């Protein structure tokens, strides 16, 4: 273990031996060196035959060691198993990250995604061998269109941010098709950070729209900015304050009157799925995070899916491929031409057709719940968030009055004069066995604590969480609280980082001790 790691892992516990053990472990909390630190020359988990004599690489043979650690198979298995046990996951407990919708992924969906014919597909298979997969994509598209009220959907976008890119590109294509070159996109201050980034990536200038004192879009400020240069508004509803934009019909009318389009960030669709169709709110385009609403796993940089639903004016510009159903079965339209009505498409957004594993999981979730079950998903998500709000509003400080939607937003006023910060409070939650809520977001409130329980938590788990948060909130008022909170977390494999040093002198790679010393 490096000196840096050792410095971070000191345990300040009590006990006869000062809280330390001879091994550095604490029960099943195993101290884990880096995999490079475990390696030894000559050790291997496999036996390979000697390569044939002669130069088979055309002079490209490696001249030095490859630099990989020498490990036995048990070492590798134990290392990665121990690392996995240090991660917090939705399978470990309540995961209250606001705006992320960390809901349970039913294992039925996982079984469906592994069925032969779905789990072993190849994107270059002949069309005749993938009729079932294409039918599943068509069925998923039908559900998404029915739930949103939109006539078209693009399945290929790989994630929410990719879906945003798709939506803004279709808006740009629609404006260009009518010869209307606009330069600006309006983005509320409570938007996800990807919204202004997407607009800028598509060549638009971004103008912020402030929130009013109710945590919603300031309608007067919005109308003042609407003119012939505005291409679209990018709005989240329910918004990132956990509130429904109750003036959304008037917002949509004003945007359309100015000749602009209404893009909705669908990250919070879980709060309204089955209860209201976005098309009925005047929305022209919306991406859907399958992992936030339809229980596919969070990608973590891996396989994700962010389908985009489109209104009539934008549908001709949807990206390829399109799934169509004809007398010869299902097929993919993969090339733009007038005969297929695809000449207005923005083209391809990724190499193939989308993420089949996510499609299977999402459709399994939809079909197992049915329309009435999806409506209950939204109702229970909102009920759970308001249960949290009711249980905590007397010890924390709600940012806005009235009931919330899918997430409860608090600010740091309850910490005033305690010397405890939002970050300190969150670190203390880790010692209690909880992943912290989303912190310091949205930016429209100071020191934000954004909690989203989702619909999959029971009353018992919510009561336990509420009890812990109440106890921590009450502790902030005790003598010496600031110092106690600053020491948290105490019981984790690594202590709190020196964030200034970590930012200014990050150690992003391991180097052998001799190399590291030479670099000092």
């Amino acid at each position: 273990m490096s000196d840096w790691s050792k410095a971070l892992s000191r345990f300040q516990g009590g006990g006869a031996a000062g809280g330390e053990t001879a091994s550095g472990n604490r029960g099943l909390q195993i101290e884990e060196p880096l995999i490079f630190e475990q390696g030894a020359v000559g050790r291997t988990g496999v036996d390979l035959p000697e390569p044939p004599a002669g130069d088979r690489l055309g002079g490209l043979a490696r001249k030095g060691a490859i630099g990989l650690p020498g490990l036995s198979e048990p070492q590798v298995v134990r290392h990665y198993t121990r690392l996995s046990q240090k991660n917090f996951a939705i399978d470990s407990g309540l995961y209250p990250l606001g705006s992320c919708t960390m809901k349970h992924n039913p294992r039925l969906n996982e079984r469906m995604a592994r069925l032969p014919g779905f789990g072993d597909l190849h994107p270059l298979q002949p069309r005749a061998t993938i009729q079932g997969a294409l039918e599943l994509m068509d069925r998923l598209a039908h559900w998404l269109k029915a739930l949103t009220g939109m006539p078209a959907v693009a399945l290929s976008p790989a994630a929410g941010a990719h879906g945003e890119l798709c939506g803004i590109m279709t808006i740009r294509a629609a404006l260009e098709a009518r010869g209307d070159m606009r330069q600006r996109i309006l983005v509320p201050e409570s938007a996800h950070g990807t919204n202004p980034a997407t607009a800028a990536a598509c060549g638009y200038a971004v103008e912020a729209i402030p929130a009013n004192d109710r945590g919603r879009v300031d309608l007067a400020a919005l109308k003042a900015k609407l003119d012939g240069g505005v291409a679209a508004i990018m709005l989240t509803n329910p918004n990132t304050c956990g509130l429904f934009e109750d003036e959304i019909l008037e917002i949509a009318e004003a945007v359309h009157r100015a000749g602009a389009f209404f893009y909705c960030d669908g990250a919070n669709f879980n709060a309204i799925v089955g209860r209201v169709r976005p098309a009925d709110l005047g929305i022209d385009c919306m991406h859907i995070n399958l992992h936030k609403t339809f229980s596919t796993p969070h990608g973590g940089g891996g396989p994700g899916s962010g389908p985009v639903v489109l209104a009539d004016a934008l549908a001709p510009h949807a990206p390829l491929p399109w799934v169509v159903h004809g007398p010869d079965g299902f097929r993919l339209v993969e090339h733009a031409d007038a005969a297929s009505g695809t000449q207005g498409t923005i083209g391809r957004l990724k190499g193939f057709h989308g993420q089949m594993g996510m499609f299977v999981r999402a459709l399994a979730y939809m079909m197992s719940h049915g329309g009435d079950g999806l409506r209950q998903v939204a109702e229970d998500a909102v009920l759970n968030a308001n249960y949290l709000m009711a249980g905590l509003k007397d010890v924390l400080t709600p940012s806005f009055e009235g009931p919330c939607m899918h997430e409860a937003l608090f600010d740091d006023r309850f910490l005033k004069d305690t010397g405890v910060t939002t970050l300190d409070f969150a670190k203390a939650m880790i010692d209690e066995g909880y992943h912290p809520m989303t912190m310091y977001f949205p930016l429209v409130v100071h020191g934000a604590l954004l909690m989203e329980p989702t619909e999959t938590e029971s009353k018992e788990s919510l009561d336990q969480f509420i009890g812990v948060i109440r106890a921590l909130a009450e502790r902030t008022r005790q003598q010496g609280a600031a110092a106690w909170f600053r020491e948290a977390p105490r019981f984790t494999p690594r202590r709190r980082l020196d964030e200034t040093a970590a930012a200014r002198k990050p150690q992003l790679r391991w180097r052998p001790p001799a190399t590291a010393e030479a670099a000092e």
Side-chain angles (χ1 to χ4, degrees):
M1 186 166 57
S2 68
D3 289 341
W4 179 261
S5 299
K6 289 176 182 175
L8 296 177
S9 65
R10 291 194 198 99
F11 178 57
Q12 306 296 328
E20 299 291 349
T21 59
S23 62
N25 302 335
R26 298 194 292 277
L28 295 180
Q29 184 81 271
I30 307 298
E31 178 57 43
E32 189 63 22
L34 297 176
I35 197 166
F36 287 96
E37 295 169 328
Q38 299 180 46
V41 176
R43 186 181 297 155
T44 179
V46 296
D47 289 323
L48 298 175
E50 286 292 326
D55 183 2
R56 305 176 64 195
L57 299 176
L60 298 178
R62 179 179 291 276
K63 293 182 173 58
I66 194 171
L68 295 178
L71 301 159
S72 67
E73 183 173 299
Q75 279 184 297
V76 174
V77 171
R78 289 171 181 171
H79 175 73
Y80 287 106
T81 299
R82 289 169 178 169
L83 287 186
S84 73
Q85 293 168 342
K86 296 180 191 302
N87 287 334
F88 192 90
I90 189 62
D91 290 342
S92 304
L94 189 155
Y95 211 137
L97 271 179
S99 196
C100 289
T101 316
M102 304 295 288
K103 62 198 288 180
H104 173 67
N105 304 140
R107 292 308 182 262
L108 171 65
N109 306 352
E110 299 298 319
R111 291 187 62 187
M112 296 300 101
R114 286 162 172 74
L115 287 174
F118 291 139
D120 56 2
L121 280 174
H122 191 283
L124 296 180
Q125 283 181 227
R127 188 181 75 187
T129 68
I130 58 168
Q131 286 295 298
L134 294 179
E135 183 177 358
L136 184 144
M137 292 169 67
D138 186 70
R139 184 73 60 87
L140 174 64
H142 171 75
W143 272 85
L144 293 175
K145 289 185 286 187
L147 289 168
T148 60
M150 297 288 195
V153 60
L155 293 178
S156 62
H162 202 207
E164 290 177 27
L165 182 68
C166 170
I168 298 303
M169 288 177 70
T170 61
I171 287 172
R172 189 180 187 92
L175 290 170
E176 290 177 351
R178 73 187 194 197
D180 191 358
M181 303 299 292
R182 299 185 174 215
Q183 304 83 36
R184 294 159 33 236
I185 284 182
L186 307 182
V187 181
E189 291 179 348
S190 63
H192 292 115
T194 48
N195 289 182
T198 296
C202 289
Y204 289 104
V206 178
E207 292 189 10
I209 304 298
N212 59 28
D213 58 5
R214 299 188 305 118
R216 296 166 173 87
V217 168
D218 187 318
L219 186 58
L222 169 64
K223 289 181 176 180
K225 288 181 177 288
L226 279 171
D227 57 33
V230 173
I233 182 175
M234 297 182 76
L235 179 144
T236 306
N237 195 32
N239 66 26
T240 50
C241 296
L243 304 170
F244 191 83
E245 294 284 352
D246 51 13
E247 294 179 303
I248 190 168
L249 295 177
E250 193 171 349
I251 290 172
E253 181 183 0
V255 168
H256 292 149
R257 191 165 54 243
F261 288 96
F262 190 162
Y263 182 94
C264 183
D265 185 317
N268 298 333
F269 190 45
N270 197 59
I272 60 173
V273 62
R275 287 194 58 87
V276 61
R277 302 189 309 175
D280 298 334
L281 302 176
I283 291 164
D284 299 305
C285 179
M286 185 177 86
H287 80 263
I288 300 170
N289 302 77
L290 293 187
H291 60 280
K292 291 190 178 188
T293 307
F294 301 111
S295 87
T296 69
H298 278 65
S305 187
V308 178
V309 290
L310 302 163
D312 283 322
L314 299 177
H317 307 288
L320 298 173
W322 297 354
V323 179
V324 295
H325 189 200
D328 298 326
F330 292 92
R331 64 186 179 90
L332 285 166
V333 177
E334 301 194 65
H335 303 285
D337 57 61
S340 61
T342 58
Q343 67 271 31
T345 177
I346 61 173
R348 279 189 174 272
L349 286 176
K350 63 181 303 186
F352 292 107
H353 320 315
Q355 225 312 321
M356 178 54 64
M358 300 304 163
F359 295 162
V360 176
R361 291 175 175 91
L363 185 61
Y365 182 81
M366 294 173 184
M367 295 182 71
S368 62
H369 279 74
D372 57 341
L374 291 175
R375 179 186 178 96
Q376 186 178 348
V377 162
E379 292 171 347
D380 289 350
V382 173
L383 177 64
N384 279 357
N386 279 280
Y387 187 75
L388 273 190
M389 178 68 79
L392 295 173
K393 65 182 181 180
D394 62 323
V395 292
L396 305 186
T397 42
S399 300
F400 302 101
E401 292 185 2
C404 58
M405 290 292 289
H406 59 298
E407 53 197 355
L409 176 62
F410 304 93
D411 53 46
D412 61 357
R413 286 174 294 162
F414 76 100
L415 297 173
K416 185 178 180 181
D417 299 327
T418 64
V420 179
T421 67
T422 296
L423 179 64
D424 295 334
F425 195 87
K427 295 295 186 183
M429 288 174 61
I430 298 174
D431 277 341
E432 300 287 347
Y434 286 104
H435 194 288
M437 67 276 131
T438 295
M439 300 177 294
Y440 301 115
F441 178 80
L443 301 178
V444 294
V445 302
H446 192 274
L449 302 87
L450 186 62
M451 304 177 184
E452 182 177 5
T454 82
E455 74 283 357
T456 54
E457 293 303 326
S458 67
K459 180 178 180 296
E460 290 78 11
S461 70
L462 294 179
D463 285 338
Q464 185 179 34
F465 179 73
I466 289 170
V468 167
I469 299 300
R470 292 186 67 89
L472 289 175
E474 289 162 3
R475 183 156 194 166
T476 64
R477 295 292 173 183
Q478 296 177 6
Q479 187 174 4
W484 186 88
F485 274 91
R486 278 195 296 272
E487 284 294 309
R490 294 167 173 77
F491 308 128
T492 49
R494 294 292 178 266
R495 300 297 302 279
R496 196 188 302 200
L497 287 171
D498 179 337
E499 296 191 13
T500 302
R504 294 180 178 176
K505 297 181 179 179
Q507 294 192 22
L508 304 179
R509 57 171 292 188
W510 177 85
R511 291 181 295 186
T515 306
E517 290 171 7
E520 287 295 330

